[in-house]
Amino acid sequence: MAMTRVRRALFAAGLAAALAVGGTALPAAAAGARTAESLGACAERTSVSVFHKGGIPLLDWRENLEFDGRGTLWVSHVTQHRVEGYAPDGTLKASFPLSGPGGIRRGPDGMMYVNYGVNPLKPAGGIVRFDPTAAAPEPEKVVSGLSGINGLAVDTEGNLYVSRELATGILKFRPDGTKDEEWTRSANVFGTNGLEIVGDQLYASVLLDASSRVVRVPLKDPARHTTVTRLSSNLLDGKFLDDLTEFNGSLVVASFRDGELIRVDPATGRSCTLVTGLRMPTSVRVPRGFGSYDAGHTLFVVEASGRIVKVTVGS
């Protein structure tokens, strides 16, 4: 599974290089979008500490995370094929097997939803849900028969949105697991990875894009999707954007290649580098109902190094 992800990164690098050799210019930014020239550092002071140590990089790949609001941090450990639950003190309190888990999110019903089979080469993926309050959580299939999936988002009505790194169209599934074909056709963005819903807007990071785009997709009118920002101004400087989250009115996006967290103003596209020096970060989330951690000043990040780290912002 780790090698599959490495191959995807190499494919993206090859694509960017091919475009550069061919002399292809970056596509013009959409109305209102900004193109980064060079990202400066954000004004806030930040510090990073290790919440959980990693193992062998890539072989100990932790792909995604989410808080259940009841005191547990749930993590998808993609290379070990399991979902893990951690207490605020860092101890492992729950774990169950799941093949290639990826995006994980809490639904409005209090259940946790997880993508499985995160592998673009095999049509053996889907979505499961589980009860985070159960003493021994048991995953239940909601959607099956998917391929090449990664990120996940759930709206207030229980609709599920799934990103696809090597295909066009963000997938939408209704709460009963049926696919919304029309919505999916309209959300025709290629190569999406991370997904985050803020109000009535779905934000997505685009992995296979040399300009490192972040896009906005209106939930009620997905055909009107637009580019919020392009975080790379150089065809050879693609950041391989991974997951993203909303934090104090901004978006925070993980740059897998550069080991950064990048803050983006969704209204203007203005961006800055919030954190550097991470080890292949794959997902970032704000703690909710997780001990004494302050949601206004704290971010949690998982990495392909296997680490889970805590980022303190502005204090």
Side-chain angles (χ1 to χ4, degrees):
M1 186 63 63
M3 290 307 298
T4 297
R5 185 63 176 271
V6 171
R7 285 195 295 270
R8 290 205 299 267
L10 292 175
F11 172 80
L15 176 62
L19 289 172
V21 170
T24 303
L26 283 172
R34 295 179 62 89
T35 301
E37 294 182 1
S38 61
L39 295 178
C42 299
E44 295 92 339
R45 183 176 301 174
T46 61
S47 62
V48 177
S49 60
V50 176
F51 178 81
H52 180 82
K53 293 181 179 180
I56 300 174
L58 301 180
L59 298 182
D60 195 37
W61 194 304
R62 285 180 169 84
E63 172 65 17
N64 213 279
L65 74 162
E66 176 69 305
F67 297 87
D68 63 12
R70 299 185 176 96
T72 303
L73 163 60
W74 295 96
V75 175
S76 55
H77 197 317
V78 65
T79 50
Q80 296 299 319
H81 303 287
R82 67 173 182 259
V83 175
E84 305 165 330
Y86 290 90
D89 64 0
T91 59
L92 182 66
K93 58 187 289 190
S95 179
F96 63 88
L98 185 65
S99 177
I104 178 168
R105 291 293 180 264
R106 181 179 184 271
D109 55 1
M111 301 286 280
M112 302 296 292
Y113 291 78
V114 193
N115 292 343
Y116 69 91
V118 176
N119 184 334
L121 305 179
K122 297 180 180 180
I127 308 170
V128 299
R129 65 183 168 212
F130 67 92
D131 182 355
T133 66
E138 297 184 5
E140 170 193 4
K141 285 188 179 180
V142 178
V143 178
S144 59
L146 305 182
S147 63
I149 63 174
N150 191 296
L152 178 66
V154 188
D155 68 21
T156 57
E157 298 176 356
N159 296 299
L160 305 164
Y161 302 85
V162 181
S163 68
R164 297 187 291 176
E165 295 174 331
L166 299 177
T168 298
I170 300 170
L171 303 176
K172 178 183 177 180
F173 296 94
R174 303 177 184 92
D176 63 2
T178 59
K179 185 178 179 181
D180 189 329
E181 298 280 2
E182 181 178 356
W183 196 99
T184 296
R185 282 194 300 272
S186 297
N188 58 341
V189 182
F190 179 82
T192 55
N193 188 320
L195 300 176
E196 174 75 326
I197 293 174
V198 182
D200 59 358
Q201 306 292 317
L202 173 68
Y203 292 91
S205 59
V206 183
L207 178 71
L208 294 184
D209 186 311
S211 67
S212 304
R213 282 194 301 158
V214 176
V215 301
R216 178 192 294 109
V217 182
L219 293 178
K220 300 301 183 183
D221 192 2
R224 296 184 62 189
H225 55 80
T226 56
T227 297
V228 176
T229 189
R230 299 179 186 275
L231 296 172
S232 299
S233 58
N234 186 317
L235 283 167
L236 298 179
D237 190 35
K239 293 183 176 297
F240 303 146
L241 299 181
D242 214 297
D243 205 9
L244 73 166
T245 194
E246 189 277 335
F247 178 63
N248 294 339
S250 296
L251 300 172
V252 175
V253 192
S255 169
F256 181 86
R257 195 200 74 167
D258 294 339
E260 298 172 344
L261 296 182
I262 301 168
R263 193 178 69 187
V264 177
D265 184 333
T268 66
R270 293 184 181 276
S271 309
C272 59
T273 302
L274 186 65
V275 178
T276 61
L278 300 177
R279 303 173 185 174
M280 297 173 288
T282 55
S283 184
V284 53
R285 301 299 287 170
V286 177
R288 305 292 183 190
F290 194 58
S292 60
Y293 290 106
D294 182 357
H297 293 279
T298 310
L299 293 163
F300 276 74
V301 180
V302 288
E303 302 175 330
S305 72
R307 298 192 310 172
I308 306 172
V309 302
K310 177 176 70 74
V311 177
T312 302
V313 181
S315 64

